[in-house]
Every structure is written in C-alpha cells, then in structure tokens.
Amino acid sequence: MAGRVFFFLQHATYEPAFQAGSMGITAAAMGDEVYFVFAFDALRALVQGDFGRPGREVEHAEQARGEALGVPAPAKMLQEARSLGAKLIACDTTVRLCGYDPDHLQREALDEVMGLASLWRLTQGARTLSL
C-alpha cells in the first residue's frame, strides 16, 4: 500500500544521511510518495555538496566499509530517490534563517521551498521520520 513519507533532516553527516537516503530510495522504489525536508545543518550540507560526509571517526570507518561493500554514498542514494520521484523541499523561513534566497535554492538545490502551513498540510496522513 503506497503512501506518503516525510524524512525531516536537520543533520547530514554520514549516519543520518545514510539512514534517510537508504530508507527514502527504498520507499520511492516501492511506490511511496517521498519527501525529504531539509533544515539547518542538513540544508547547508545539501547546498554545499556535503550531504553524507562523515563528521566523526566512526563515520569515516562506516563510509569506508560501505564503499567496500559497494553501498552507494548517501548523496547518490538521494539523487537516485529523486530520479524515482522523491522531492527535496524546505520551509521558506528555515531557508531564510540559514541565510539563503528561497528562489535561488528552488532553482538550484531543492524541488520546492514552501511555507510552513503548506508543509504542515502536506504531512497530513503521512508517515514522518526525523533524522
């Protein structure tokens, strides 16, 4: 039974990015309507091209083991989920708090920048995961 799934991301080092990317691509491949909602560190990492970069020594080791296993990097999984229809979005206010121009980000990094009320309504009846 397909549904709507939201992954709320505030952090984007290897572990949370891997969790979001792997679950998101799986949900998208299974026919769910997937949304990745970026805020703060996760939004900055996405914009700077750092989504999924290890932040701690243990994450460096996990990334190396993942590469040895042939597991795609979190950014690659995010890109593949997007090719399956997943959407990358952010709240307009959060975008501005992070110092970005919403119009620019909507053209360059995100599928949509929306107001919090619109985002709230979109989550109605959806599964949500916070990472």
Side-chain angles (χ1 to χ4, degrees):
M1 177 170 147
R4 203 168 334 126
V5 182
F6 282 80
F7 295 93
F8 286 89
L9 301 161
Q10 291 185 28
H11 307 286
T13 59
Y14 186 80
E15 290 176 350
F18 180 87
Q19 285 294 103
S22 62
M23 288 189 294
I25 193 170
T26 300
M30 294 180 72
D32 285 324
E33 185 179 343
V34 175
Y35 295 87
F36 295 97
V37 183
F38 290 85
F40 303 109
D41 285 343
L43 180 62
R44 286 185 284 271
L46 180 71
V47 170
Q48 296 166 4
D50 291 334
F51 184 79
R53 291 229 175 129
R56 300 174 295 137
E57 190 59 39
V58 69
E59 289 182 315
H60 284 279
E62 291 164 344
Q63 180 186 38
R65 284 192 293 273
E67 289 172 357
L69 292 169
V71 175
K76 179 71 172 164
M77 287 189 277
L78 192 70
Q79 181 183 42
E80 289 178 14
R82 204 173 184 189
S83 74
L84 294 171
K87 302 291 183 205
L88 279 55
I89 62 176
C91 168
D92 176 78
T93 302
T94 303
V95 167
R96 292 174 192 278
L97 285 172
C98 288
Y100 297 118
D101 172 40
D103 292 330
H104 176 75
L105 282 193
Q106 192 160 314
R107 288 189 309 271
E108 300 298 320
L110 299 169
D111 294 304
E112 190 168 353
V113 175
M114 61 178 59
L116 189 54
S118 297
L119 180 57
W120 181 255
R121 292 226 187 269
L122 194 57
T123 64
Q124 185 175 7
R127 287 174 287 181
T128 61
L129 294 101
S130 211
L131 302 163

